[in-house]
Every structure is written in structure tokens, then in C-alpha cells.
Amino acid sequence: MEDYKKHYEGKVILITGGAGAIGSNLTKTLAQLNARTVIVFDNMSSAYLWNIPSLHNVLFVKGSVTDEVALKRVFNLKPDVVYHLAAFFANQKSVDFPQHDLMTNGLGTLLVYQYAQMCGTGRFVYASSGCSIYGSVAPLPLKEEFMSMHLTSPYQITKMLGELYANFFYNYYGLPVVKTRFFNSYGPGEAPGQYRNVIPNFIYRARLGLPLPFTGDGDETRDFTYVMDIVDALLRAGYYDQAIGQEMNIASGNEVNILQMAERINELTGNKAGIIRTESRSWDTKKRLLASIDRAKDLLGYTPGMPFEEGLTHTINWFNDNWDHIKRDAEFPPGMSAAAFGVVTKK
């Protein structure tokens, strides 16, 4: 076993937002690496109990990052490593509920930093968003040294705020912080929903035999990153000392055409309903996304290994295996949708 994986044996690890797609996969991996205790801390506002691994060394604590009583409970266990994945996700939800976004992604993140610093946490890994903080005018491929003040949603603003607080706690207190900027994660573990990502929502609609809503002109791209590649990067970020105080893109380093992706989902699921055009969202100003992953390669030895087509197949297989849970719990009430404006999916 590689050193960065051996590092977690016998450790106490706190994962805020640990019931989400990335968090649940990280939890399972750390538990299998013989961590002493993996603390899953989540308010379950957009996650489900059936998605949390049921393992002897996994402890689930329901609570919010804005609740100091709950934070005292989990930090009383003296975590060696903190992965701060909890967030009020994502752009459209933050537009609809900007105050909740600020409380969770702003105050909640500040509180987690404070408690980590006070209890002497050995490593703090912050989940930032490469899709958010670069703004809409950054040259491609996106590189870490480019920063933008021209952000278009509260979620983008508060994700940037989390990085600025990371800089403060690192420079003032010496908290060993690593900032990881995720790009368009997808994969097993992410259930669909009104404010969720495009791939699970497309798979969900395709399985129901509904057309997939598309808002662009056909040239749009994203840098889709398989969840287990992100998990591997997080394990590395929690180990390598040269990453401390640094920010780095965690992505695939490849562009995927969104329209072609939608067509492929229809093919793989046998959906004959096709694709419909719908109104775009005003905050979505990025036509293309492509990240440079050179810094993550240099600092972490990170090399994403999942081809997009294969990852998409794994994701659809996960939907098939968990369809009863997904169909019961997915919520698409009338109003805004993460996939498109005014599109409602009925169960």
C-alpha cells in the first residue's frame, strides 16, 4: 500500500458533509484503509441515510456546521484530519436562498476553521470550487494563480470566502490548510434533485423516459471529474506536506461536450425522448471549462485515471442498483431546477 494510504490507519477523521456524493465515497475509502474512526457530520439537508456506509468504524453525527453544540461534539473526538466538504450547494440554490448560503458557506466554514485550530487538527482540507472562483473571463486552461472578482452567484462568492479564511488561518495561526478546487464531480453516490448536478439529473430523467433539458447552443463543455479520482486527490491532500497552504485544481484535465454527454446518456439508458431546448440561467456565464491539473500533479502526484465514458457507465449502474431509493427520494418541486429553468420532473 502506498504511504499516503497507510497514513490514515488508526486516525480519527472528520468529514463535514460526509453523507454527500464525495463525502460518502471518501468515508467508505477511509474506513477500508483502517481509520480508527471516520466521523460523518451532516445535517442531511441534501443527503440520505441509505447512502452512508454502514461500517464498524464509521460514526454518523447529524448536525449543521452552524451549530456550535454539534461542532463541539465532533471536535471533542480530536480529529487528526478534517475534510470540510459541507456546503450550501450550489449556484441556483444560492440565488434562491442567499442568506442560507452565507450562513452555511460563510459562517459555518469559519466555525469549522476555528474549532480545527483550537483542537490542534493536524491537517485541514477545504473543498473549494474551481467551477466558481475563476469567474467567466479566465483564460483556459484555468490555472490557480488567476483569481476573479467578477463572480455571478452567492455560492461562488462564499466559496471564494472559504479560501480567503483558509489563507487567514494558515498565515495567522499556522493551521495546515490545503485548498482543493473541484470541477464538475460526478459518479456513484450522487442522487438527483432540484439543485443537484447535471449528470445525475439527466440520468434520472432518462430513466423515467423524459427528454433531457439543454440550455446551450451545443458548444458548451465542462471538465467532469469522476468521484473516486477526487477521493484519491483528497487522500493525497491530507498527507503530503508540500500541499499545505496551497490551492490546486482537482479535475480531469479534459473537456466534455455537454450536448454529446446528454445524447450518450440517452443511448446508454435507452431513452427515446431525446433532448429539449430550454431557457438558460442568468448566472451561468461560462461557455467552456477546462482546468490545468499541473499543480496537483506536482504537489500531490495526482493523476486522474477514469475515462469519462467508463465513469458514466459506472454512474448509470449505480442508479440501476439503487433505483428504488432514488425514485422514492428525488425531489423536483415546481420552480427552478439545477438542470434548467422551469423544468419539473414528477415521480
Side-chain angles (χ1 to χ4, degrees):
M1 187 184 298
E2 295 171 275
D3 287 345
Y4 75 96
K5 294 181 179 179
K6 291 180 183 178
H7 172 69
Y8 295 97
E9 186 172 350
K11 295 288 197 303
V12 176
I13 300 152
L14 170 62
I15 308 174
T16 72
I22 297 172
S24 60
N25 281 286
L26 178 61
T27 296
K28 183 177 180 180
T29 301
L30 287 166
Q32 292 172 340
L33 292 175
N34 297 315
R36 188 174 82 185
T37 307
V38 183
I39 309 163
V40 174
F41 184 57
D42 203 299
N43 67 359
M44 306 307 289
S45 61
S46 58
Y48 308 101
L49 286 172
W50 54 264
N51 208 25
I52 301 174
S54 181
L55 298 168
H56 76 279
N57 51 351
V58 173
L59 171 65
F60 169 61
V61 177
K62 185 175 181 179
S64 169
V65 291
T66 61
D67 181 352
E68 293 201 60
V69 173
L71 285 172
K72 288 174 183 176
R73 179 184 176 191
V74 294
F75 276 98
N76 185 55
L77 298 172
K78 297 293 190 293
D80 300 290
V81 181
V82 173
Y83 288 101
H84 183 43
L85 309 183
F88 192 80
F89 184 85
N91 286 296
Q92 186 58 57
K93 194 173 183 181
S94 75
V95 171
D96 293 348
F97 307 102
Q99 291 177 314
H100 290 294
D101 174 87
L102 180 58
M103 288 296 294
T104 300
N105 298 351
L107 177 61
T109 295
L110 173 59
L111 289 171
V112 176
Y113 280 132
Q114 287 181 315
Y115 278 94
Q117 182 268 322
M118 286 188 289
C119 82
T121 296
R123 183 67 57 91
F124 190 112
V125 181
Y126 172 63
S128 186
S129 171
C131 302
S132 296
I133 67 166
Y134 290 111
S136 58
V137 297
L140 299 182
L142 298 169
K143 296 183 177 181
E144 289 83 357
E145 54 268 20
F146 185 96
M147 304 292 285
S148 175
M149 296 296 289
H150 300 284
L151 307 178
T152 56
S153 76
Y155 179 78
Q156 295 174 12
I157 294 167
T158 53
K159 276 297 173 182
M160 174 75 81
L161 179 62
E163 288 209 18
L164 297 176
Y165 274 126
N167 295 340
F168 167 71
F169 277 88
Y170 170 67
N171 290 306
Y172 191 82
Y173 293 108
L175 183 68
V177 177
V178 180
K179 294 162 283 182
T180 53
R181 297 174 179 171
F182 301 159
F183 279 77
N184 299 104
S185 67
Y186 77 100
E190 185 174 14
Q194 183 183 18
Y195 294 108
R196 303 313 302 176
N197 284 320
V198 64
I199 287 180
N201 285 355
F202 274 5
I203 296 172
Y204 178 72
R205 289 181 62 89
R207 279 197 55 113
L208 293 177
L210 298 172
L212 308 188
F214 181 73
T215 63
D217 58 18
D219 296 326
E220 290 76 11
T221 67
R222 291 295 181 264
D223 192 329
F224 291 108
T225 315
Y226 190 64
V227 65
M228 294 310 297
D229 285 332
I230 293 176
V231 166
D232 183 64
L234 289 171
L235 296 178
R236 293 170 180 270
Y239 173 71
Y240 288 107
D241 288 342
Q242 58 265 34
I244 294 173
Q246 299 293 322
E247 57 280 331
M248 62 208 71
N249 296 330
I250 305 301
S252 70
N254 294 299
E255 284 185 274
V256 173
N257 180 278
I258 299 175
L259 181 58
Q260 292 175 5
M261 176 268 290
E263 292 170 342
R264 187 61 179 143
I265 287 175
N266 277 339
E267 292 173 5
L268 291 171
T269 58
N271 183 29
K272 306 299 183 184
I275 294 170
I276 57 171
R277 301 284 176 150
T278 188
E279 183 181 342
S280 63
R281 301 152 298 184
S282 58
W283 52 262
D284 191 0
T285 58
K286 302 179 185 70
K287 190 175 182 67
R288 295 170 55 207
L289 277 179
L290 174 65
S292 166
I293 55 175
D294 289 345
R295 185 178 293 182
K297 287 181 178 179
D298 291 342
L299 296 178
L300 304 179
Y302 167 71
T303 303
M306 181 60 68
F308 181 71
E309 178 86 7
E310 185 178 345
L312 198 58
T313 300
H314 287 314
T315 308
I316 292 172
N317 289 340
W318 178 81
F319 263 76
N320 296 338
D321 293 340
N322 294 277
W323 182 242
D324 289 343
H325 290 304
I326 292 169
K327 190 175 181 181
R328 180 194 65 206
D329 292 336
E331 294 182 346
F332 288 84
M336 297 300 294
S337 164
F341 178 79
V343 174
V344 181
T345 301
K346 296 182 179 179
K347 290 188 275 188

